[in-house]
Amino acid sequence: MWDWIINFLAGVLAGIEGFCGDWGLAIIILTVIIRVLIMPLMNKQVESSARMQAAQPKIQELQARYADDRELQAQKMQELYSDLHFNPVMGCLPVLLQMPVFFALFTVARDRIPADASFYGIIPSLADSAGGMIGSVGWAPAAVYVFFVILFGVLTFLQMAINARQVSEDQRKQQLGMGAVMAVMMAWFGWGIPAGVILYYNASALWGIVQQYFVTRRVMEKAKAEAEQSMQGRPAVSVDVVRKEKKPRPRKKS
């Protein structure tokens, strides 16, 4: 199955390169095709996230009211999720669909495209990595590889920073801290992977940022408004827990 994915991706890339005449541009075009195909799923993910944000006060209310009854709390939460059309799977599905392409492209860039495949001469070899180029030709010729790796980390942080604007202040600080750690980790990871994979990720991240400004915000605002309207029409939560009354202890006859 994995070999099939690699062969398919290599064939698609070769076909695009035959059309546009450059391997780097072929990777960017492949990125755009993938992002366009998963855009409906991304929008569903955004809608789901927006509904959850709008429902946070109601979720906290349910958690407080049914703190002593976990089973009933779970039931009420499930009812709320159903009313909001929230599906937890949608949050990770777009990422999961892109992961096979990301890892398969590692093999394709290393083994399946010509050694001299470049990105219009800007990146001389898409099969080489920043670390490998520094070891073989030195820092100066490898500068462009280092730049793309740094951009790899910066775009990772930037995407998380943009998403952090939609949450509370405490959560925002947490996400920004996680974003900084992830940026360093991704830059370290990118040091040893082919430049073709870095180019794919950077093109995908840039697409995501542009989509965030022109599409995602509108989808999120609409979903929030619909969720708030739905919450207003939802009846107030009632306490279903029946507390047992303490009976007076019988007195002994004297």
Side-chain angles (χ1 to χ4, degrees):
M1 181 65 182
W2 186 243
D3 288 340
W4 180 88
I5 293 173
I6 292 172
N7 292 333
F8 176 76
L9 187 60
V12 170
L13 262 181
I16 298 173
E17 190 276 334
F19 171 75
C20 67
D22 183 84
W23 284 100
L25 181 58
I27 290 174
I28 294 174
I29 292 173
L30 175 67
T31 306
V32 172
I33 292 171
I34 292 171
R35 294 293 302 207
V36 169
L37 289 175
I38 68 170
M39 185 179 288
L41 289 175
M42 292 292 293
N43 289 342
K44 289 290 184 183
Q45 176 193 8
V46 171
E47 289 175 0
S48 184
S49 175
R51 291 191 183 104
M52 285 300 294
Q53 289 179 26
Q56 280 304 309
K58 185 64 68 175
I59 291 172
Q60 292 173 1
E61 180 184 349
L62 287 172
Q63 289 172 340
R65 283 181 179 271
Y66 301 108
D68 297 331
D69 192 333
R70 295 293 182 182
E71 185 176 345
L72 188 57
Q73 182 187 114
Q75 178 186 335
K76 294 295 182 182
M77 293 285 281
Q78 190 60 43
E79 290 174 4
L80 179 62
Y81 292 160
S82 178
D83 290 344
L84 294 172
H85 305 290
F86 172 71
N87 185 355
V89 177
M90 292 305 301
C92 56
L93 187 57
V95 176
L96 291 176
L97 289 176
Q98 293 180 82
M99 290 304 288
V101 177
F102 183 85
F103 287 110
L105 193 59
F106 182 95
T107 302
V108 172
R110 186 187 60 191
D111 302 330
R112 300 298 182 89
I113 64 175
D116 59 348
S118 67
F119 177 37
Y120 286 113
I122 299 170
I123 302 176
S125 173
L126 294 169
D128 285 325
S129 65
M133 287 295 288
I134 290 172
S136 60
V137 297
W139 280 89
V144 66
Y145 290 83
V146 176
F147 169 77
F148 273 90
V149 168
I150 293 172
L151 186 62
F152 187 37
V154 169
L155 290 175
T156 299
F157 176 78
L158 193 56
Q159 287 183 100
M160 297 190 72
I162 291 172
N163 292 330
R165 297 187 308 173
Q166 308 294 335
V167 298
S168 64
E169 185 64 28
D170 291 339
Q171 290 177 322
R172 186 179 300 114
K173 290 179 180 178
Q174 264 187 332
Q175 286 198 20
L176 289 176
M178 287 176 59
V181 173
M182 281 294 296
V184 173
M185 288 179 61
M186 294 301 277
W188 176 79
F189 172 68
W191 197 256
I193 64 177
V197 183
I198 299 289
L199 181 62
Y200 168 81
Y201 179 88
N202 287 349
S204 182
L206 286 171
W207 175 281
I209 291 169
V210 173
Q211 182 179 340
Q212 177 78 20
Y213 278 100
F214 291 99
V215 179
T216 304
R217 286 193 300 178
R218 295 180 183 179
V219 173
M220 181 167 280
E221 288 169 4
K222 181 182 177 182
K224 274 187 177 180
E226 290 174 352
E228 288 169 357
Q229 186 176 2
S230 175
M231 296 304 298
Q232 289 174 0
R234 183 179 173 85
V237 179
S238 59
V239 179
D240 296 333
V241 178
V242 178
R243 300 185 182 277
K244 294 182 179 180
E245 295 182 0
K246 291 183 179 181
K247 295 181 179 180
R249 296 176 65 181
R251 295 180 180 178
K252 293 182 179 180
K253 293 181 180 180
S254 54

